[in-house]
Structures are given as C-alpha cells and as structure tokens.
Amino acid sequence: MDPLAVKNLTGLVAATFTPLNPQGEINLSVIGPYIDYLIEKQGVNSIFVNGTTGESMSLSVEERKTLANDWCKKAKGKMDHVIIHVGCMSLKDSQELAIHAAQIGADGIAVISPSFFKPRSAEVLRTFLQEVASVAPSLPFYYYHIPAITGVNVLVRDLLEDIEKVIPSFRGVKFSGSDLMDFGQCVSYSQPKWSFLYGMDEQLIAALAMGANGAVGSTYNYIGSNMNELISAFEKGDIAKARTIQFKMQELLSFAMKLGFDLGVNKQLMSVVSGLCLGPPRLPVMQCSDAHALSIAEKLRRLFPEH
Ligand SMILES: CC(=O)N[C@@H]([C@@H](O)[C@H](O)[C@H](O)CO)[C@@H](O)CC(=O)C(=O)O
C-alpha cells in the first residue's frame, strides 16, 4: 500500500521515552511491554519515537536506528501510526535516518529545525526540510516545531506557504509552541491530507478549540486515558468536563514544576506510574530522586484516582 495514502494522523500520540539500562545503554526489552501498556492502559494507539522525550539529541545515529527499528517491529499490527523523528544538527545524519525510517516501514517521519546553526528564515528552514524529505519521498512528512528548545521562532504559517510544492509528502506539523495565533493561522490554511498536532499538553483544550487534529506529548504516556476523555468530552460539546480534566492536568504539572519538573523527573514518573523500568536519562539530563517521582505519582493518583 502507498504509505502516502494512509489515513490522517489524529488523536493522541505518545512521545515515547527511551528505555535505558542502569549502565545507560538502550534497553530494547522494555519496548514490547511499553507498547502494550500504551494501548491497554492508556488507549493511546500512536507513538512519536526519538523526539525530545526520547532524548534523540543525546543518542547516536546508530542508537536511533536500532530504537526506530525495534519500535516499528514491535508496534506492527498493534498501533495506528509510528512516527520516527529523524531531525539532527547535520543534514546528512537526518537524511540517513529518513532513509532508514523508510526501510523499516515507519508510518511517517518528523524533522525538528537544526538549532546550533539556525536557519535564518522560513525559506531556509523549508529548504532544509525539503532536503530531508526528498530522500524518503514515500513517507508522510511532519515538521516538528518546538521554538522554546530550538530557539527557531520562524512562524509556522510562513513555513507552510506553498510547502506541498517542494515537499509533496508533507502531511502536517507537530506544534509544540505557545503561539496559538500562529497555530490557528496554520489550521486555517490546512489542506485535506494535513494534520496539526498540538504539543503543549497543559493547554490542549485551547488548541482543540483552534482546530487541532490531535496531540503529541509526553504526558499521554501516563495520563493518556484521561486526556482521551478530555478530547471525547470536547468533541461532544461538554466543555465543562473537558475543562475540568485540563485543570486537573495543570494542577499536576504545576505541582511537578515546583519540584523541578524536567525530562529526568518525567521519565522517572513514567516508570513509577507504569511499572515499566525505563532506567535513567542520559547526561546532561539528570536522574531524579525516587522521592520526587513518588510524590508526583501520589498527586497524580489523587487527581486521577483510576490510576
Ligand atoms: C518541551 C517538551 O518536552 N514538550 C513535550 C510536552 O509533552 C511537555 O512535556 C508537556 O507539555 C509538559 O510540559 C512535547 O511537546 C515533546 C514531544 O512531544 C517530544 O518528545 O517530541
């Protein structure tokens, strides 16, 4: 089947953590149970692999290939979409990972902007993305916008101008920014095959109001079932219920932020809540103390007692 003919990417997409063993090496044995956990306990049927949450920029190209291959193999026939993030500082590395993603049967690729040498304009960024997409023309392609981390503040709406002419495989954006005006402008310019996935979990409801087709995020790993309820309530017009769930999620995050919520804390929290052994993060991200993760998990269980 032509991968470009697949159904649009919608709903919740978990940005997966990368399982490491206590020595800091990738631990593939967790990936199978991780996929089952997302499907069975969280009702999350799509994943975004090797993104920010997956510590992609701290992994070697070889490690990223090994992980991408294992996630794709184990998710086959179980998950709807496996999107592999292939963005790197080097265009060559990104292209190598894009070719690899096509070979292993990924459902799509995403690319972040390079951030050491930053593109000067939307046009330059579009050209970089085009160069990556062109080596894997049969794979749905998504731009990954996360300006707080990359420092690349190009308006996504400007990037989208005529993008399908240079990237025929273009299928949408993972928008992890807070500029909802830019997000709204993107949605209003959207084409039928495109998806706009929002990436700031704490304000998902606002993005849904703006027309988001779904969301990619880290918290959907452990409160995906609740955020699925938020989306259903929103779709049924029960805004009060959707807002209540969003407010609880914000209370959880604000509690976690006061304890220094970062990727290390987030990863440990997922281990505690899911029972999966995800191991430590890789330096420079620091491992969080058990006590911190346990108190956040306790708060989570108080807010969402079904966990
Ligand atoms: C900066 C960051 O890590 N943002 C997360 C969010 O899910 C974030 O953890 C959440 O909104 C809590 O702030 C995602 O946008 C990242 C993501 O989807 C990815 O791992 O690629």
Side-chain angles (χ1 to χ4, degrees), residues 15 48 51-53 144 146 174 176 199-202 216-218 253:
F48 187 87
T52 306
T53 308
Y144 179 6
I146 186 158
K174 168 178 158 17
S176 288
M200 292 185 80
D201 317 1
E202 51 276 48
V216 184
S218 69
L253 217 65

Side-chain angles (χ1 to χ4, degrees), residues 34-106:
Y34 193 156
I35 289 168
D36 294 340
Y37 173 84
L38 289 176
I39 297 169
E40 289 159 21
K41 303 279 189 221
Q42 301 297 343
V44 170
N45 298 304
S46 295
I47 49 177
F48 187 87
V49 171
N50 291 342
T52 306
T53 308
E55 301 177 78
S56 57
M57 295 302 170
S58 303
L59 299 167
S60 68
V61 168
E62 278 318 305
E63 285 176 317
R64 286 174 68 167
K65 282 187 186 172
T66 305
L67 285 158
N69 183 49
D70 213 63
W71 282 105
C72 282
K73 203 170 70 194
K74 291 177 179 158
K76 202 172 176 56
K78 290 186 171 183
M79 297 208 117
D80 293 340
H81 292 266
V82 179
I83 308 299
I84 307 292
H85 170 244
V86 302
C88 300
M89 292 304 113
S90 149
L91 173 61
K92 288 282 176 196
D93 288 348
S94 303
Q95 288 176 323
E96 186 178 334
L97 288 173
I99 292 169
H100 179 258
Q103 287 164 348
I104 61 175

Side-chain angles (χ1 to χ4, degrees), residues 215-232:
V216 184
S218 69
T219 66
Y220 310 136
N221 283 289
Y222 45 84
I223 50 166
S225 57
N226 311 96
M227 298 304 272
N228 266 324
E229 270 183 55
L230 183 160
I231 294 178
S232 303

